[in-house]
Amino acid sequence: MKFKKLGNTDIDVSLICLGTMTWGEQNSEAQAHEQLDYALAQDINFIDTAEMYPVPPKPKTQGLTEQYIGTWLNKRGKRDDIILATKVAGPGNGLTYLRNGPRLTKEHINQAIDTSLARLQTDYVDLYQLHWPDRSTNYFGQLGYKANDNESMTPLLESLQAMDELVKQGKVRHWGFSNETPWGVMKALSLCEVHGLAKPVSIQNPYNLLNRTYEIGLAEISHRENISLLAYSPMAFGALSGKYLGETPPEDGRLTLFDRFVRYTNPQALEATQSYVDIAKEFKLTPAQMSLAFVNQQSFVDSNIIGATSMAQLKENIASVDLILSGDVLTEIEKVHTLQPNPAP
């Protein structure tokens, strides 16, 4: 396994991070524990989850993912050699059953961390993340920013002060963003500087061959401010494996079961995916490992969050850490990207 520093911290995180959002929906508790055991055997030390998981979110399953991790941590008995990350949900996305509609106020953040710690059966998390902004902006694939002069938003400073307090209390070692924009990150850094608050160390945003929007503005921030990208959806919800290219998609595939993820199966995305699959075949690579290796090799990526519903998928995904794409492969990838930039935002 390869390791990188988590932003401006002294924490070494594995280049491959174990994502968990299927646990409690597509994976049972026993399967979750099996994945955790295997990942640790491969020297993965980084686990990412969220209070709203599993996905798609439902009232009856909310919190099961953290609960499964908690029972595993309790059984294992070793906490300090695991880098554990979770998230507090922002407003919207149909989560009215969570705190009567989650916000990123001090009160909500404090409630969220306490319930997450209880489910996780630990007294601290290494990284706590604001899952998406408490304001009208572009995230989860939205394009075409539209200002909302009547929006109800929690002042960003209140959220930052709440995160700073959690760090001082020892419930959180470091904090970061998820699904954030360049403006949000730079504004937060400025406010933290002015008010002497703990600064964010990471951003967890989507990044894959079908969605390279992170490169436009946030990659430079990662480089200049030393804020880690924790790349999620590196396989575009499995689309980049090529399994959705046929006339009959797999019945148990994520994009088959849950039609909310249509951004990776539109005509432009499918055309680009076919081109990437062809490149992988030409160079005798699996499409999955080529896609993951591309993410692994980006200088602004400090950890690549992989997820799997089967052990076979998990083993293939983790093995991508040993693959280095040649200059010829990267050249062919850039040709496709230049012709069809970001077909699936």
Side-chain angles (χ1 to χ4, degrees), residues 22-238:
T22 62
W23 301 356
E25 176 65 46
Q26 291 175 269
N27 290 102
S28 66
E29 184 173 19
Q31 289 171 331
H33 288 189
E34 182 183 17
Q35 288 194 25
L36 284 160
D37 289 338
Y38 181 81
L40 258 69
Q42 306 307 306
D43 293 327
I44 288 175
N45 71 345
F46 197 12
I47 303 166
D48 178 75
T49 188
E51 66 165 342
M52 66 168 279
Y53 288 173
V55 175
K58 301 173 185 176
K60 69 176 182 179
T61 59
Q62 184 268 320
L64 280 181
T65 309
E66 287 185 328
Q67 181 179 314
Y68 290 177
I69 295 171
T71 56
W72 178 80
L73 285 172
N74 182 272
K75 178 178 67 174
R76 186 171 179 273
K78 294 180 180 179
R79 168 67 182 88
D80 292 346
D81 55 352
I82 300 298
I83 308 302
L84 182 58
T86 191
K87 312 178 194 74
V88 50
N93 292 290
L95 302 178
T96 54
Y97 52 85
L98 187 60
R99 296 187 294 281
N100 293 315
R103 301 302 299 263
L104 296 182
T105 63
K106 176 181 178 180
E107 179 183 8
H108 277 237
I109 289 173
N110 285 334
Q111 289 179 16
I113 187 63
D114 287 343
T115 53
S116 284
L117 291 176
R119 283 189 293 263
L120 291 165
Q121 299 190 47
T122 184
D123 56 5
Y124 74 97
V125 293
D126 300 279
L127 179 66
Y128 200 40
Q129 301 156 101
L130 302 175
H131 206 160
W132 56 84
D134 193 336
R135 66 181 192 275
S136 299
T137 190
N138 293 16
Y139 54 89
F140 292 150
Q142 299 175 56
L143 295 176
Y145 173 72
K146 296 180 180 179
N148 179 2
D149 294 332
N150 298 314
E151 67 181 337
S152 172
M153 61 179 282
T154 300
L156 181 56
L157 180 58
E158 179 178 346
S159 302
L160 303 182
Q161 289 172 329
M163 299 299 266
D164 180 73
E165 288 183 13
L166 293 182
V167 172
K168 290 175 178 175
Q169 292 168 6
K171 295 180 180 180
V172 170
R173 292 179 67 189
H174 301 283
W175 74 274
F177 287 113
S178 183
N179 299 298
E180 190 50 275
T181 67
W183 180 88
V185 177
M186 293 307 298
K187 184 66 174 179
L189 288 172
S190 176
L191 288 170
C192 288
E193 185 72 29
V194 170
H195 295 275
L197 306 175
K199 294 181 179 179
V201 302
S202 60
I203 315 170
Q204 184 177 147
N205 274 24
Y207 183 72
N208 56 60
L209 286 172
L210 295 178
N211 181 356
R212 293 172 59 177
T213 53
Y214 194 88
E215 298 174 7
I216 297 170
L218 284 165
E220 183 177 7
I221 294 175
S222 285
H223 173 71
R224 299 191 185 280
E225 303 295 337
N226 196 12
I227 295 181
S228 300
L229 170 61
L230 311 179
Y232 80 78
S233 292
M235 285 285 296
F237 294 118

Side-chain angles (χ1 to χ4, degrees), residues 292-305:
L292 293 171
F294 175 81
V295 175
N296 294 342
Q297 285 179 227
Q298 304 307 309
S299 62
F300 49 83
V301 173
D302 283 346
S303 197
N304 185 357
I305 305 173

Side-chain angles (χ1 to χ4, degrees), residues 235-245 273 277 286-288 291 313 316:
M235 285 285 296
F237 294 118
L240 285 164
S241 68
K243 63 185 178 182
Y244 297 102
L245 293 174
T273 298
V277 169
T286 71
S291 300
Q313 290 174 341
E316 180 182 16

